[in-house]
């Protein structure tokens, strides 16, 4: 077995947007006298859907209030995101992957305008040969379509690709597509019930990319 490609998630993995979203929802919902716990917020990470907003509306007891809250959270999130930087080790992994001749892709449930904005600001856009977003698929994570489209564009088989994810929905998408998957949770996703991943890191700075690939290859031979 040989790993020929590495594919990265974006939100929460490259950029810890998830912790910022959680802080923003907590701050805004407190104005409505609603307390938000990490345990209740975490399952919604890594996908899109109305379940969380439905929960908010039911808890507050005001139909339609979810849209207003979303708008307030988005304004606050934009303010906080102006100062955020890439997670530790991300740039090193991308640089090493390119030096090793690996194909590099990105699979995200976010839209293209969102991720292009930050990849450009962080100086990371040039590393990615294939980028698939919610604009490119009929279903986002945990559906495997994003990963299937990325490996198709990169020209590699599922077993030749290693995904890096921070969320349970992302892990499920990568595994459903047949990829290996290393999870690198952030503070918001660290308590999620991850299962069937190939490796877990607290940070990409914890282990060099070469060592990660060796570990995945060895496991694949067992």
């Amino acid at each position: 077995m040989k790993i020929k490609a590495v594919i990265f998630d974006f939100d929460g993995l490259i950029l810890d947007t998830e912790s910022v979203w959680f802080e923003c929802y907590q701050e805004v919902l407190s104005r409505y006298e609603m307390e938000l716990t990490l345990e209740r917020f975490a399952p919604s990470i890594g996908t899109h859907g109305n379940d969380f907003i439905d929960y908010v509306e039911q808890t507050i007891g005001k139909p339609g209030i979810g849209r207003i809250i979303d708008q307030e959270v988005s304004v606050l999130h934009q303010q906080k995101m102006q100062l955020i930087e890439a997670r530790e080790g991300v740039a090193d992994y991308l640089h090493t992957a390119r030096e090793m001749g690996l194909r590099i892709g990105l699979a995200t449930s976010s839209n293209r305008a969102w991720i292009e904005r930050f990849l450009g600001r962080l100086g990371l856009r040039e590393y990615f040969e294939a980028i698939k977003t919610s604009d490119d698929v009929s279903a986002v994570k945990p559906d495997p379509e994003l990963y299937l489209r990325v490996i198709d564009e990169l020209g590699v088989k599922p077993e030749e690709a290693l995904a890096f994810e921070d969320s349970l929905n992302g892990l499920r998408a990568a595994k459903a597509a047949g990829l290996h998957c290393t999870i690198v949770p952030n503070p918001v996703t660290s308590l999620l019930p991850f299962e069937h991943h190939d490796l877990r890191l607290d940070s990409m700075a914890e282990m060099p990319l070469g060592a990660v690939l060796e570990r995945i290859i060895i496991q694949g031979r067992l």
Side-chain angles (χ1 to χ4, degrees):
M1 180 187 72
K2 182 178 181 180
I3 301 297
K4 298 180 179 180
V6 286
I7 304 173
F8 295 79
D9 175 45
F10 183 74
D11 286 284
L13 189 280
I14 289 179
L15 208 61
D16 187 10
T17 56
E18 308 297 6
S19 292
V20 181
W21 279 120
F22 179 56
E23 293 170 5
C24 291
Y25 269 108
Q26 276 192 315
E27 186 172 331
V28 170
L29 289 174
S30 68
R31 303 171 191 169
Y32 296 86
E33 299 183 349
M34 176 180 168
E35 182 180 354
L36 178 64
T37 65
L38 179 56
E39 288 75 15
R40 186 58 188 81
F41 179 75
S44 66
I45 295 170
T47 188
H48 287 168
N50 297 319
D51 290 349
F52 178 69
I53 292 303
D54 289 344
Y55 162 73
V56 169
E57 291 192 353
Q58 291 170 10
T59 302
I60 295 176
K62 293 183 179 180
I65 195 67
R67 182 175 59 83
I68 297 173
I69 289 173
D70 255 359
Q71 291 173 349
E72 294 179 16
V73 168
S74 293
V75 171
L76 184 59
H77 191 266
Q78 287 179 15
Q79 295 171 357
K80 290 179 179 289
M81 287 297 295
Q82 292 178 18
L83 302 175
I84 197 170
E85 296 295 334
R87 288 184 67 187
E88 189 178 16
V90 169
D92 288 339
Y93 268 40
L94 290 170
H95 181 71
T96 300
R98 186 162 64 180
E99 285 193 327
M100 295 176 69
L102 298 172
R103 312 298 299 274
I104 306 175
L106 188 148
T108 174
S109 293
S110 296
N111 62 57
R112 186 169 293 270
W114 171 261
I115 62 105
E116 291 283 3
R117 166 188 168 193
F118 290 106
L119 288 178
R121 180 170 71 77
L122 296 169
L124 301 178
R125 178 62 180 84
E126 62 175 305
Y127 288 101
F128 296 98
E129 301 175 60
I131 293 178
K132 296 302 176 184
T133 73
S134 60
D135 299 332
D136 304 306
V137 295
S138 58
V140 295
K141 304 170 186 177
D143 189 279
E145 185 179 1
L146 280 163
Y147 277 108
L148 292 173
R149 285 184 176 271
V150 171
I151 62 173
D152 181 63
E153 185 167 329
L154 293 178
V156 299
K157 300 175 182 178
E159 62 271 20
E160 296 173 332
L162 170 62
F164 288 92
E165 279 284 355
D166 72 291
S167 73
L168 189 56
N169 286 314
L171 169 63
R172 289 170 175 165
K175 282 300 182 179
L179 278 67
H180 306 279
C181 187
T182 292
I183 58 167
V184 193
N186 56 62
V188 171
T189 61
S190 61
L191 298 179
L192 291 173
F194 292 104
E195 293 182 332
H196 309 303
H197 49 283
D198 297 275
L199 183 64
R200 176 171 181 153
L201 304 174
D202 291 327
S203 162
M204 292 184 197
E206 180 182 334
M207 183 183 294
L209 178 60
V212 171
L213 297 178
E214 289 179 10
R215 183 80 62 86
I216 299 298
I217 292 171
I218 290 172
Q219 290 178 352
R221 291 172 177 167
L222 296 179

